[in-house]
Amino acid sequence: MIDMTKLADLFCGLGQVSFHFARHLMSHQNHADFHFLVKGKQENLWGYQVKKHQTNLLKRHFSALNSGFDIWHAIHQDSAFIPAKGKTKVVLTIHDLNFLQEKSPRKAEKRLKRLQKKVDRANALCFISNYVRQEAEQYLKINHQLIRVIYNGVPVLDEEQTKPQLAPKRKFLFNLGVLMPKKNHEAIIRMMKHLPEYDLLIGGGGNAEYKKALEDLVAELGLESQVYFSGSLNEAEKSWAYHHAEAFVFPSLNEGFGLPVVEAMSAGLPVVCSKLTSLPEIGGDQAVYWNDFNPKTMANVLRQGLSEFLGDSNASEKLKHYASRFSWKKHVDAYMKLYSEILID
């Protein structure tokens, strides 16, 4: 049984993880009897037949109703469904512990206790990066023999490209991510004051209050004709931006993985990002890093990085080759191998 309830919100991060996980299980459908836990009236988005089980309040509160499977895979740590202790073996995937920074100490402690109970029930733990594993080992009691770091896959960019309705007319830098404080959009907006030759396209919806604060900052700095908020982008619009930008800029303060970094590289687009949390692990030696968020320093780092990129005729192909390491096929194959190990164990 695989918890696919996040497919109900397809365009959130975990919705996309669920979607691509489901689609790439197709190559293994003759090797296992898959069941998906889904919400009511959830469409078949994965493209092949699988046994579906709908969620309900009883399954949420009485874990014995979730038993009867060889393996139960909670593909994210916030799942509300888990089988009772017994023969069913549990795989738990942990994506991040961002709530430790985002919630009040009291709420963070409460969530940590809930997560610890799931960790205690699990037979195998998976993490989407070594950074997340290290953070979990710092805050949780982990005594598992089966621990794996399995990187998220990166979907192939849409071949169709559509220019967003709100898009720069000059050469531009691109940022993609939910509008929320941890993404640190203020840093790149302030940087633009020192990059008059570029525009900035910020893609993504999210917190309306935070967006208003960013728009106020743009007005305060007099950058209204230089900074564009496109809102949420569909796949064709996102592909256009990745293929037409001069660089991808990502000053995030907290990432469990950092999918847009590799997504940009898959288009051969140079990446300049923060040196925090998981980003150095995911970007490797192919990304350019900001050591601090001084606007003028950030601008100088970006110019230097672009100069080096343009001076290497193979730079774009190197980025694409590096990004190919993060595929959904490799991701699902790694989990299939883990399932087999659990059954033998």
Side-chain angles (χ1 to χ4, degrees):
M1 171 67 85
I2 301 172
D3 185 335
M4 288 291 178
T5 51
K6 286 295 182 180
L7 273 172
D9 188 4
L10 183 59
F11 294 105
C12 74
L14 289 174
Q16 284 293 291
V17 167
S18 303
F19 172 73
H20 291 290
F21 193 99
R23 290 289 300 274
H24 283 80
L25 279 176
M26 285 191 290
S27 61
H28 298 282
Q29 60 183 312
N30 296 325
H31 301 102
D33 181 20
F34 293 117
H35 297 246
F36 284 179
L37 183 67
V38 298
K39 292 186 177 180
K41 299 181 180 179
Q42 198 166 295
E43 295 180 42
N44 182 335
L45 299 169
W46 43 86
Y48 68 104
Q49 293 302 311
V50 66
K51 297 180 181 69
K52 292 190 293 181
H53 302 252
Q54 290 191 6
T55 61
N56 56 49
L57 286 176
L58 289 176
K59 288 180 181 178
R60 181 167 185 163
H61 295 289
F62 296 95
S63 57
L65 298 175
N66 299 321
S67 301
F69 301 93
D70 294 314
I71 295 174
W72 182 287
H73 184 183
I75 63 174
H76 63 92
Q77 74 267 21
D78 292 330
S79 173
F81 304 91
I82 209 82
K85 290 183 178 180
K87 294 182 179 179
T88 299
K89 297 190 175 182
V90 173
V91 177
L92 175 65
T93 298
I94 297 179
H95 289 257
D96 61 63
L97 271 67
N98 288 347
F99 61 85
L100 294 174
Q101 286 77 42
E102 296 171 355
K103 303 295 182 182
S104 68
R106 186 179 63 83
K107 289 183 177 180
E109 183 180 0
K110 188 175 181 180
R111 286 189 63 169
L112 200 61
K113 286 181 178 179
R114 286 204 304 266
L115 180 55
Q116 183 66 60
K117 288 182 180 180
K118 295 176 187 176
V119 167
D120 294 341
R121 174 63 182 91
N123 300 88
L125 293 177
C126 294
F127 304 93
I128 64 170
S129 66
N130 282 297
Y131 167 77
V132 175
R133 174 180 175 171
Q134 291 163 7
E135 190 177 32
E137 289 173 339
Q138 180 180 352
Y139 291 99
L140 296 164
K141 295 177 182 177
I142 296 176
N143 298 299
H144 293 71
Q145 289 185 341
L146 287 175
I147 295 177
R148 297 288 184 273
V149 172
I150 300 177
Y151 290 130
N152 282 340
V154 176
V156 177
L157 292 175
D158 201 321
E159 290 185 6
E160 180 184 348
Q161 296 180 23
T162 303
K163 187 175 181 179
Q165 193 168 11
L166 284 177
K169 297 178 176 60
R170 305 186 304 156
K171 60 182 182 178
F172 67 95
L173 309 174
F174 180 44
N175 169 273
L176 180 68
V178 177
L179 297 179
M180 56 193 304
K182 76 168 187 175
K183 297 297 184 180
N184 196 24
H185 293 89
E186 299 100 318
I188 49 174
I189 290 173
R190 293 185 186 280
M191 176 187 70
M192 295 308 295
K193 195 72 176 177
H194 302 277
L195 293 168
E197 69 270 35
Y198 293 105
D199 287 342
L200 172 64
L201 176 63
I202 297 176
N207 187 307
E209 185 178 341
Y210 180 61
K211 183 182 179 183
K212 177 64 167 56
L214 294 178
E215 290 173 335
D216 289 345
L217 177 61
V218 168
E220 177 189 328
L221 296 173
L223 298 173
E224 295 95 332
S225 63
Q226 200 175 346
V227 177
Y228 295 75
F229 294 94
S230 68
S232 297
L233 299 175
N234 62 35
E235 291 302 305
E237 291 170 333
K238 182 174 71 173
S239 183
W240 180 91
Y242 278 133
H243 284 97
H244 287 80
E246 300 295 314
F248 183 74
V249 290
F250 200 62
S252 182
L253 302 175
N254 199 351
E255 294 291 329
F257 183 76
L259 174 63
V261 166
V262 188
E263 213 168 39
M265 289 181 179
S266 73
L269 183 65
V271 171
V272 188
C273 63
S274 69
K275 210 171 188 176
L276 300 174
T277 61
S278 66
L279 295 178
E281 176 185 350
I282 303 305
D285 61 0
Q286 294 300 308
V288 175
Y289 299 98
W290 290 305
N291 290 316
D292 63 61
F293 298 115
N294 175 279
K296 189 172 182 179
T297 303
M298 290 176 69
N300 290 337
V301 168
L302 186 138
R303 283 200 182 98
Q304 179 63 31
L306 281 179
S307 176
E308 293 175 5
F309 176 80
L310 294 172
D312 182 352
S313 60
N314 296 316
S316 185
E317 290 306 313
K318 289 177 184 176
L319 290 172
K320 292 176 183 179
H321 178 73
Y322 179 83
S324 69
R325 298 169 51 193
F326 302 90
S327 74
W328 279 108
K329 181 182 184 305
K330 290 179 181 177
H331 178 89
V332 171
D333 287 351
Y335 272 107
M336 289 300 298
K337 182 179 179 181
L338 177 61
Y339 296 159
S340 297
E341 291 180 46
I342 290 173
L343 292 175
I344 294 170
D345 187 34

